[in-house]
Amino acid sequence: MHALRSVLEQAQQMRVAVGHFNVADLVLLKAVFVSAQELKVPVLVGVSEGEREFMGVPQISVLVRSLREEFDFPIFLNADHTHSLVKAVEAAKAGFDAVVFDLSALPFEQNVRQTKEAVEALKAINPSILVEGEIGDIGTGSEIHTEAPDLSKSLTTPEEARQFVESTGVDILAPAVGNRHGMLKSMVQGEARKHLDIERIAQIKKAARILLTLHGGSGTDDNDLRNAIAAGINIVHINTELRVAWRRGLESGLAKQPDEVAPYKILPTAVDSVKQVVLSRLKLFNSEQKLGKGL
Ligand code: G3H
Ligand code: ZN
């Protein structure tokens, strides 16, 4: 039996991070699963409210569980960026392993109060579910953005992090440390990268003493990611990079076989394209020499 909490604790001890990849269809799920299987590292699959509405809440839960059970493999499911208790409860009842309860847009006190209530409600449904809380502003969706508004004033402070964790009882914290959702066009082209406040991550870890997630991983500088993991990040979320690879792979699959209509003959090109991204990110998060030792 694989349990997410022990996988994360082991990753913390080994100073590696568990990759979290968002999925919205079977192409993405397959690419994430086969990559993790190939590298023999545990993996988290995430579905935002929009992604799970498209896939079906019980349906994605059954799919991930069937992979875990059939292959005896540590693949887990997270209800990413859940903005209401109703949706969080729905995911917990469907058997999700974790919920990101995201009220970071609300004033701090309100976020604390409602996150605490959510932790209690979700643990009553499933005592081993992990609940992640969010503070600070890390921007909007996993899309290609035309501009990057200044978020430097809403970075998480170590004191806020400590207070939030103590008052809510969350298992995992997602801070704002220079990360942001989505990519600029220049990042898709590989000309620009996101940079992280590593010192802040280290201070937050020291103050809050909790598992930490880095959201908005797409387009982040590789060295910053390595340093962030060394400073205390335990989970890294990647979505936009996968979406870009999905689209490119799909377009090239269609272009290569203009007369083909069988999806299972066209879609493997999209799976391969997404797989390249997942493999390279998983290698980075798990540092080459530790690959396969976390299973
Ligand atoms: O929760 C999802 C992630 O934080 C993804 O962010 O699209 O910038 O990789 P990203
Ligand atoms: Zn996120």
Side-chain angles (χ1 to χ4, degrees):
M1 238 295 267
H2 299 284
L4 180 56
R5 184 182 289 280
S6 50
V7 161
L8 290 170
E9 279 164 6
Q10 197 184 348
Q12 172 141 280
Q13 271 174 20
M14 292 171 72
R15 295 219 164 220
V16 297
V18 176
H20 172 291
F21 301 94
N22 288 73
V23 304
D25 70 1
L26 273 180
V27 166
L28 288 148
L29 180 61
K30 201 175 160 110
V32 171
F33 179 62
V34 295
S35 303
Q37 224 187 1
E38 225 171 276
L39 298 177
K40 299 189 173 58
V41 291
V43 76
L44 255 164
V45 168
V47 274
S48 66
E49 288 185 359
E51 287 160 343
R52 60 198 198 246
E53 194 173 314
F54 182 71
M55 291 205 79
V57 171
Q59 286 70 30
I60 181 66
S61 176
V62 167
L63 278 171
V64 172
R65 194 176 328 130
S66 83
L67 290 170
R68 181 157 75 209
E69 287 170 4
E70 183 178 344
F71 297 91
D72 188 21
F73 193 86
I75 180 169
F76 301 96
L77 182 61
N78 175 44
D80 205 12
H81 296 290
T82 304
H83 301 291
S84 71
L85 187 55
V86 174
K87 299 262 181 204
V89 164
E90 186 189 22
K93 286 190 173 160
F96 281 49
D97 302 289
V99 173
V100 172
F101 195 67
D102 179 6
L103 296 188
S104 56
L106 294 181
F108 186 77
E109 294 306 329
Q110 245 170 290
N111 184 4
V112 167
R113 188 159 29 82
Q114 293 187 40
T115 302
K116 182 176 189 287
E117 284 166 16
V119 171
E120 284 160 10
L122 297 174
K123 302 267 180 190
I125 296 166
N126 172 9
S128 58
I129 200 166
L130 299 187
V131 184
E132 176 176 318
E134 285 214 32
I135 40 175
D137 187 0
I138 54 168
T140 52
S142 290
E143 286 147 18
I144 313 296
H145 302 294
T146 46
E147 53 184 40
D150 181 16
L151 302 176
S152 59
K153 290 200 180 63
S154 27
L155 294 179
T156 304
T157 67
E159 178 48 26
E160 260 170 6
R162 189 195 59 76
Q163 212 185 312
F164 184 83
V165 167
E166 275 178 15
S167 332
T168 57
V170 290
D171 304 288
I172 308 168
L173 176 70
V177 289
N179 50 330
R180 65 169 66 228
H181 284 134
M183 292 170 90
L184 293 170
K185 273 217 171 85
S186 55
M187 291 172 181
V188 177
Q189 287 148 1
E191 290 157 8
R193 307 306 277 166
K194 293 179 202 167
H195 288 283
L196 305 169
D197 187 339
I198 305 299
E199 186 50 37
R200 189 179 291 269
I201 296 171
Q203 286 170 1
I204 290 172
K205 189 76 174 186
K206 200 169 158 213
R209 304 190 163 279
I210 193 170
L211 295 165
L212 294 178
T213 294
L214 181 80
H215 281 258
S218 292
T220 306
D221 178 74
D222 284 4
N223 255 332
D224 281 25
L225 284 170
R226 282 189 198 99
N227 292 333
I229 294 166
I233 291 292
N234 308 103
I235 301 171
V236 182
H237 280 223
I238 301 280
N239 193 357
T240 316
E241 285 182 2
L242 262 53
R243 291 178 167 184
V244 170
W246 175 90
R247 185 177 176 110
R248 285 183 179 158
L250 185 59
E251 282 172 348
S252 112
L254 291 166
K256 268 197 277 182
Q257 308 172 76
D259 299 321
E260 185 56 70
V261 292
Y264 64 85
K265 292 185 182 167
I266 297 167
L267 294 175
T269 315
V271 174
D272 275 349
S273 171
V274 175
K275 220 183 124 188
Q276 296 322 308
V277 177
V278 179
L279 282 173
S280 96
R281 285 326 207 171
L282 281 177
K283 283 181 190 165
L284 183 87
F285 302 158
N286 288 278
S287 72
E288 307 274 348
Q289 64 277 33
K290 292 174 186 160
L291 281 172
K293 302 210 175 107
L295 282 192

Short mmCIF file of all heavy atoms in Angstrom, two decimals, residues 219-266:
data_model
loop_
_atom_site.label_atom_id
_atom_site.label_comp_id
_atom_site.label_asym_id
_atom_site.label_seq_id
_atom_site.Cartn_x
_atom_site.Cartn_y
_atom_site.Cartn_z
N GLY A 219 8.72 27.04 -16.74
CA GLY A 219 9.57 28.16 -17.15
C GLY A 219 10.52 28.63 -16.08
O GLY A 219 11.16 29.67 -16.22
N THR A 220 10.65 27.85 -14.99
CA THR A 220 11.57 28.26 -13.91
C THR A 220 12.98 27.79 -14.23
O THR A 220 13.19 26.68 -14.73
CB THR A 220 11.11 27.67 -12.56
OG1 THR A 220 9.75 28.02 -12.35
CG2 THR A 220 11.95 28.21 -11.41
N ASP A 221 13.94 28.65 -13.91
CA ASP A 221 15.35 28.34 -14.12
C ASP A 221 15.73 27.03 -13.40
O ASP A 221 15.37 26.84 -12.23
CB ASP A 221 16.15 29.51 -13.53
CG ASP A 221 17.64 29.29 -13.63
OD1 ASP A 221 18.17 29.41 -14.74
OD2 ASP A 221 18.25 28.96 -12.59
N ASP A 222 16.44 26.15 -14.10
CA ASP A 222 16.78 24.83 -13.54
C ASP A 222 17.55 24.93 -12.22
O ASP A 222 17.29 24.21 -11.27
CB ASP A 222 17.64 24.03 -14.54
CG ASP A 222 16.79 23.47 -15.67
OD1 ASP A 222 15.57 23.76 -15.72
OD2 ASP A 222 17.35 22.74 -16.51
N ASN A 223 18.52 25.86 -12.19
CA ASN A 223 19.32 25.97 -10.97
C ASN A 223 18.51 26.49 -9.80
O ASN A 223 18.70 26.06 -8.67
CB ASN A 223 20.51 26.91 -11.20
CG ASN A 223 21.77 26.09 -11.32
OD1 ASN A 223 21.85 24.99 -10.75
ND2 ASN A 223 22.72 26.62 -12.06
N ASP A 224 17.59 27.40 -10.11
CA ASP A 224 16.71 27.91 -9.04
C ASP A 224 15.86 26.76 -8.49
O ASP A 224 15.62 26.67 -7.29
CB ASP A 224 15.79 29.02 -9.57
CG ASP A 224 16.52 30.35 -9.67
OD1 ASP A 224 17.76 30.33 -9.79
OD2 ASP A 224 15.86 31.40 -9.62
N LEU A 225 15.42 25.87 -9.38
CA LEU A 225 14.61 24.74 -8.91
C LEU A 225 15.45 23.82 -8.01
O LEU A 225 15.01 23.41 -6.94
CB LEU A 225 14.05 23.94 -10.09
CG LEU A 225 12.86 24.60 -10.80
CD1 LEU A 225 12.52 23.87 -12.10
CD2 LEU A 225 11.62 24.62 -9.90
N ARG A 226 16.68 23.54 -8.43
CA ARG A 226 17.57 22.69 -7.59
C ARG A 226 17.78 23.35 -6.23
O ARG A 226 17.67 22.69 -5.19
CB ARG A 226 18.94 22.54 -8.27
CG ARG A 226 18.93 21.55 -9.39
CD ARG A 226 20.35 21.25 -9.90
NE ARG A 226 20.23 20.66 -11.21
CZ ARG A 226 20.39 21.33 -12.37
NH1 ARG A 226 20.74 22.61 -12.37
NH2 ARG A 226 20.22 20.71 -13.52
N ASN A 227 18.05 24.66 -6.24
CA ASN A 227 18.31 25.35 -4.96
C ASN A 227 17.06 25.43 -4.10
O ASN A 227 17.13 25.36 -2.88
CB ASN A 227 18.85 26.76 -5.23
CG ASN A 227 20.24 26.71 -5.84
OD1 ASN A 227 20.99 25.75 -5.63
ND2 ASN A 227 20.60 27.72 -6.62
N ALA A 228 15.90 25.57 -4.75
CA ALA A 228 14.63 25.64 -4.00
C ALA A 228 14.38 24.31 -3.29
O ALA A 228 13.93 24.28 -2.14
CB ALA A 228 13.48 25.96 -4.95
N ILE A 229 14.68 23.21 -3.97
CA ILE A 229 14.49 21.88 -3.36
C ILE A 229 15.47 21.71 -2.20
O ILE A 229 15.10 21.26 -1.12
CB ILE A 229 14.64 20.78 -4.44
CG1 ILE A 229 13.49 20.90 -5.46
CG2 ILE A 229 14.66 19.39 -3.81
CD1 ILE A 229 13.67 20.12 -6.75
N ALA A 230 16.70 22.16 -2.39
CA ALA A 230 17.69 22.07 -1.31
C ALA A 230 17.26 22.94 -0.12
O ALA A 230 17.54 22.63 1.03
CB ALA A 230 19.06 22.51 -1.82
N ALA A 231 16.52 24.03 -0.39
CA ALA A 231 16.09 24.94 0.68
C ALA A 231 14.81 24.47 1.37
O ALA A 231 14.40 25.08 2.37
CB ALA A 231 15.90 26.35 0.11
N GLY A 232 14.16 23.44 0.85
CA GLY A 232 13.00 22.91 1.58
C GLY A 232 11.73 22.68 0.79
O GLY A 232 10.70 22.32 1.36
N ILE A 233 11.77 22.87 -0.54
CA ILE A 233 10.57 22.56 -1.35
C ILE A 233 10.46 21.04 -1.51
O ILE A 233 11.44 20.37 -1.84
CB ILE A 233 10.67 23.24 -2.75
CG1 ILE A 233 10.55 24.76 -2.62
CG2 ILE A 233 9.63 22.66 -3.72
CD1 ILE A 233 9.19 25.28 -2.20
N ASN A 234 9.24 20.50 -1.30
CA ASN A 234 9.03 19.05 -1.37
C ASN A 234 8.19 18.59 -2.56
O ASN A 234 8.21 17.41 -2.92
CB ASN A 234 8.35 18.56 -0.09
CG ASN A 234 9.09 19.03 1.15
OD1 ASN A 234 8.66 19.97 1.81
ND2 ASN A 234 10.21 18.43 1.44
N ILE A 235 7.39 19.51 -3.12
CA ILE A 235 6.55 19.19 -4.28
C ILE A 235 6.72 20.33 -5.28
O ILE A 235 6.70 21.50 -4.88
CB ILE A 235 5.05 19.11 -3.90
CG1 ILE A 235 4.80 18.05 -2.82
CG2 ILE A 235 4.17 18.84 -5.12
CD1 ILE A 235 3.37 18.08 -2.24
N VAL A 236 6.86 20.01 -6.57
CA VAL A 236 6.90 21.08 -7.59
C VAL A 236 5.79 20.85 -8.60
O VAL A 236 5.68 19.75 -9.17
CB VAL A 236 8.26 21.15 -8.32
CG1 VAL A 236 8.26 22.31 -9.32
CG2 VAL A 236 9.42 21.31 -7.34
N HIS A 237 4.97 21.89 -8.82
CA HIS A 237 3.86 21.80 -9.78
C HIS A 237 4.27 22.29 -11.16
O HIS A 237 4.84 23.38 -11.29
CB HIS A 237 2.71 22.71 -9.33
CG HIS A 237 1.86 22.14 -8.27
ND1 HIS A 237 0.49 22.24 -8.28
CD2 HIS A 237 2.17 21.45 -7.14
CE1 HIS A 237 0.00 21.65 -7.20
NE2 HIS A 237 0.99 21.17 -6.48
N ILE A 238 3.94 21.49 -12.18
CA ILE A 238 4.19 21.87 -13.57
C ILE A 238 2.89 21.67 -14.36
O ILE A 238 2.33 20.57 -14.35
CB ILE A 238 5.28 20.98 -14.22
CG1 ILE A 238 6.61 21.07 -13.47
CG2 ILE A 238 5.45 21.32 -15.70
CD1 ILE A 238 7.46 22.26 -13.77
N ASN A 239 2.45 22.70 -15.03
CA ASN A 239 1.27 22.55 -15.88
C ASN A 239 1.48 23.15 -17.27
O ASN A 239 1.41 22.43 -18.27
CB ASN A 239 0.04 23.17 -15.20
CG ASN A 239 -1.26 22.78 -15.89
OD1 ASN A 239 -1.26 22.09 -16.90
ND2 ASN A 239 -2.39 23.21 -15.36
N THR A 240 1.77 24.45 -17.35
CA THR A 240 1.82 25.11 -18.67
C THR A 240 2.80 24.43 -19.63
O THR A 240 2.50 24.27 -20.82
CB THR A 240 2.19 26.60 -18.52
OG1 THR A 240 1.43 27.14 -17.44
CG2 THR A 240 1.87 27.37 -19.79
N GLU A 241 3.95 24.02 -19.12
CA GLU A 241 4.94 23.36 -20.00
C GLU A 241 4.33 22.10 -20.64
O GLU A 241 4.60 21.78 -21.78
CB GLU A 241 6.19 22.94 -19.20
CG GLU A 241 7.09 24.11 -18.85
CD GLU A 241 8.35 23.69 -18.09
OE1 GLU A 241 8.54 22.47 -17.85
OE2 GLU A 241 9.12 24.58 -17.73
N LEU A 242 3.49 21.41 -19.86
CA LEU A 242 2.84 20.20 -20.38
C LEU A 242 1.79 20.56 -21.43
O LEU A 242 1.65 19.88 -22.45
CB LEU A 242 2.14 19.44 -19.24
CG LEU A 242 2.87 18.26 -18.61
CD1 LEU A 242 4.26 18.62 -18.15
CD2 LEU A 242 2.08 17.68 -17.47
N ARG A 243 1.07 21.64 -21.15
CA ARG A 243 0.03 22.06 -22.11
C ARG A 243 0.65 22.47 -23.44
O ARG A 243 0.11 22.14 -24.50
CB ARG A 243 -0.76 23.24 -21.51
CG ARG A 243 -1.63 22.80 -20.33
CD ARG A 243 -2.37 23.97 -19.71
NE ARG A 243 -3.41 23.49 -18.80
CZ ARG A 243 -4.26 24.26 -18.16
NH1 ARG A 243 -4.20 25.58 -18.32
NH2 ARG A 243 -5.18 23.76 -17.36
N VAL A 244 1.80 23.16 -23.38
CA VAL A 244 2.49 23.57 -24.61
C VAL A 244 2.93 22.31 -25.38
O VAL A 244 2.73 22.20 -26.59
CB VAL A 244 3.71 24.47 -24.27
CG1 VAL A 244 4.58 24.69 -25.50
CG2 VAL A 244 3.25 25.80 -23.68
N ALA A 245 3.51 21.36 -24.65
CA ALA A 245 3.99 20.12 -25.30
C ALA A 245 2.82 19.31 -25.86
O ALA A 245 2.93 18.70 -26.93
CB ALA A 245 4.77 19.28 -24.28
N TRP A 246 1.70 19.31 -25.15
CA TRP A 246 0.50 18.58 -25.61
C TRP A 246 0.03 19.15 -26.94
O TRP A 246 -0.22 18.42 -27.90
CB TRP A 246 -0.59 18.73 -24.53
CG TRP A 246 -1.93 18.16 -24.86
CD1 TRP A 246 -2.35 16.89 -24.59
CD2 TRP A 246 -3.03 18.82 -25.49
NE1 TRP A 246 -3.65 16.73 -25.02
CE2 TRP A 246 -4.08 17.89 -25.59
CE3 TRP A 246 -3.22 20.11 -26.00
CZ2 TRP A 246 -5.32 18.21 -26.15
CZ3 TRP A 246 -4.44 20.43 -26.57
CH2 TRP A 246 -5.47 19.48 -26.64
N ARG A 247 -0.04 20.48 -27.01
CA ARG A 247 -0.53 21.12 -28.23
C ARG A 247 0.42 20.88 -29.40
O ARG A 247 0.01 20.51 -30.50
CB ARG A 247 -0.71 22.62 -27.99
CG ARG A 247 -1.32 23.27 -29.18
CD ARG A 247 -1.63 24.73 -29.06
NE ARG A 247 -2.12 25.11 -30.35
CZ ARG A 247 -3.38 25.44 -30.61
NH1 ARG A 247 -4.25 25.52 -29.66
NH2 ARG A 247 -3.74 25.72 -31.85
N ARG A 248 1.72 21.05 -29.14
CA ARG A 248 2.71 20.83 -30.21
C ARG A 248 2.68 19.38 -30.69
O ARG A 248 2.75 19.11 -31.88
CB ARG A 248 4.11 21.15 -29.71
CG ARG A 248 4.35 22.64 -29.61
CD ARG A 248 5.77 22.91 -29.17
NE ARG A 248 6.03 24.35 -29.08
CZ ARG A 248 6.98 24.90 -28.37
NH1 ARG A 248 7.81 24.13 -27.67
NH2 ARG A 248 7.16 26.20 -28.36
N GLY A 249 2.59 18.45 -29.75
CA GLY A 249 2.58 17.03 -30.10
C GLY A 249 1.34 16.66 -30.90
O GLY A 249 1.40 15.89 -31.87
N LEU A 250 0.22 17.23 -30.49
CA LEU A 250 -1.03 16.95 -31.19
C LEU A 250 -0.98 17.49 -32.62
O LEU A 250 -1.32 16.80 -33.59
CB LEU A 250 -2.19 17.59 -30.42
CG LEU A 250 -3.59 17.31 -30.94
CD1 LEU A 250 -3.88 15.82 -30.95
CD2 LEU A 250 -4.62 18.03 -30.06
N GLU A 251 -0.49 18.74 -32.75
CA GLU A 251 -0.39 19.35 -34.08
C GLU A 251 0.54 18.54 -34.97
O GLU A 251 0.25 18.32 -36.15
CB GLU A 251 0.11 20.80 -33.96
CG GLU A 251 -1.01 21.73 -33.53
CD GLU A 251 -0.55 23.15 -33.20
OE1 GLU A 251 0.68 23.37 -33.08
OE2 GLU A 251 -1.42 24.02 -33.06
N SER A 252 1.65 18.08 -34.39
CA SER A 252 2.58 17.34 -35.25
C SER A 252 2.02 15.96 -35.60
O SER A 252 2.20 15.48 -36.72
CB SER A 252 3.98 17.34 -34.62
OG SER A 252 4.34 16.08 -34.21
N GLY A 253 1.29 15.32 -34.67
CA GLY A 253 0.65 14.03 -34.96
C GLY A 253 -0.35 14.17 -36.09
O GLY A 253 -0.43 13.31 -36.99
N LEU A 254 -1.12 15.24 -36.07
CA LEU A 254 -2.13 15.47 -37.12
C LEU A 254 -1.45 15.79 -38.45
O LEU A 254 -1.86 15.28 -39.51
CB LEU A 254 -3.04 16.63 -36.71
CG LEU A 254 -3.99 16.35 -35.54
CD1 LEU A 254 -4.59 17.64 -35.01
CD2 LEU A 254 -5.10 15.39 -35.96
N ALA A 255 -0.39 16.61 -38.39
CA ALA A 255 0.29 17.02 -39.63
C ALA A 255 1.00 15.83 -40.30
O ALA A 255 1.04 15.73 -41.52
CB ALA A 255 1.29 18.13 -39.33
N LYS A 256 1.55 14.92 -39.46
CA LYS A 256 2.29 13.78 -40.00
C LYS A 256 1.39 12.80 -40.75
O LYS A 256 1.83 12.11 -41.65
CB LYS A 256 2.98 13.02 -38.85
CG LYS A 256 4.40 13.49 -38.58
CD LYS A 256 5.17 12.47 -37.76
CE LYS A 256 4.89 12.65 -36.30
NZ LYS A 256 5.58 11.80 -35.36
N GLN A 257 0.12 12.71 -40.30
CA GLN A 257 -0.79 11.72 -40.91
C GLN A 257 -2.08 12.41 -41.30
O GLN A 257 -3.11 12.21 -40.65
CB GLN A 257 -1.09 10.61 -39.90
CG GLN A 257 0.15 9.97 -39.28
CD GLN A 257 -0.20 9.01 -38.16
OE1 GLN A 257 -0.66 7.91 -38.41
NE2 GLN A 257 -0.02 9.43 -36.93
N PRO A 258 -2.05 13.21 -42.36
CA PRO A 258 -3.22 14.04 -42.70
C PRO A 258 -4.48 13.24 -43.01
O PRO A 258 -5.59 13.76 -42.87
CB PRO A 258 -2.76 14.85 -43.92
CG PRO A 258 -1.51 14.22 -44.39
CD PRO A 258 -0.92 13.42 -43.27
N ASP A 259 -4.33 11.98 -43.41
CA ASP A 259 -5.53 11.20 -43.75
C ASP A 259 -5.96 10.23 -42.66
O ASP A 259 -6.93 9.49 -42.82
CB ASP A 259 -5.30 10.42 -45.06
CG ASP A 259 -5.02 11.37 -46.22
OD1 ASP A 259 -5.68 12.43 -46.27
OD2 ASP A 259 -4.11 11.09 -47.03
N GLU A 260 -5.23 10.22 -41.56
CA GLU A 260 -5.53 9.28 -40.47
C GLU A 260 -6.69 9.80 -39.63
O GLU A 260 -6.77 11.00 -39.36
CB GLU A 260 -4.27 9.10 -39.59
CG GLU A 260 -4.43 8.07 -38.51
CD GLU A 260 -4.83 6.70 -39.05
OE1 GLU A 260 -4.01 6.05 -39.71
OE2 GLU A 260 -6.01 6.29 -38.85
N VAL A 261 -7.59 8.90 -39.22
CA VAL A 261 -8.67 9.33 -38.33
C VAL A 261 -8.70 8.54 -37.02
O VAL A 261 -9.48 8.86 -36.12
CB VAL A 261 -10.06 9.26 -39.01
CG1 VAL A 261 -10.19 10.29 -40.12
CG2 VAL A 261 -10.37 7.85 -39.50
N ALA A 262 -7.86 7.52 -36.89
CA ALA A 262 -7.88 6.72 -35.65
C ALA A 262 -7.10 7.45 -34.56
O ALA A 262 -5.88 7.62 -34.68
CB ALA A 262 -7.28 5.35 -35.90
N PRO A 263 -7.79 7.88 -33.49
CA PRO A 263 -7.09 8.64 -32.44
C PRO A 263 -5.88 7.91 -31.88
O PRO A 263 -4.84 8.52 -31.63
CB PRO A 263 -8.17 8.83 -31.37
CG PRO A 263 -9.46 8.73 -32.11
CD PRO A 263 -9.23 7.76 -33.23
N TYR A 264 -5.99 6.58 -31.72
CA TYR A 264 -4.87 5.87 -31.09
C TYR A 264 -3.64 5.78 -31.99
O TYR A 264 -2.57 5.35 -31.56
CB TYR A 264 -5.31 4.47 -30.61
CG TYR A 264 -5.73 3.52 -31.70
CD1 TYR A 264 -4.79 2.76 -32.38
CD2 TYR A 264 -7.08 3.40 -32.04
CE1 TYR A 264 -5.17 1.90 -33.40
CE2 TYR A 264 -7.47 2.54 -33.05
CZ TYR A 264 -6.51 1.80 -33.73
OH TYR A 264 -6.90 0.96 -34.74
N LYS A 265 -3.80 6.19 -33.26
CA LYS A 265 -2.62 6.25 -34.14
C LYS A 265 -2.04 7.66 -34.18
O LYS A 265 -0.87 7.86 -34.49
CB LYS A 265 -3.00 5.79 -35.55
CG LYS A 265 -3.35 4.32 -35.60
CD LYS A 265 -3.61 3.85 -37.00
CE LYS A 265 -4.02 2.38 -36.99
NZ LYS A 265 -4.58 1.95 -38.27
N ILE A 266 -2.84 8.64 -33.89
CA ILE A 266 -2.39 10.05 -33.93
C ILE A 266 -1.83 10.48 -32.57
O ILE A 266 -0.80 11.13 -32.48
CB ILE A 266 -3.58 10.97 -34.32
CG1 ILE A 266 -4.08 10.61 -35.72
CG2 ILE A 266 -3.20 12.45 -34.23
CD1 ILE A 266 -5.43 11.23 -36.07
#
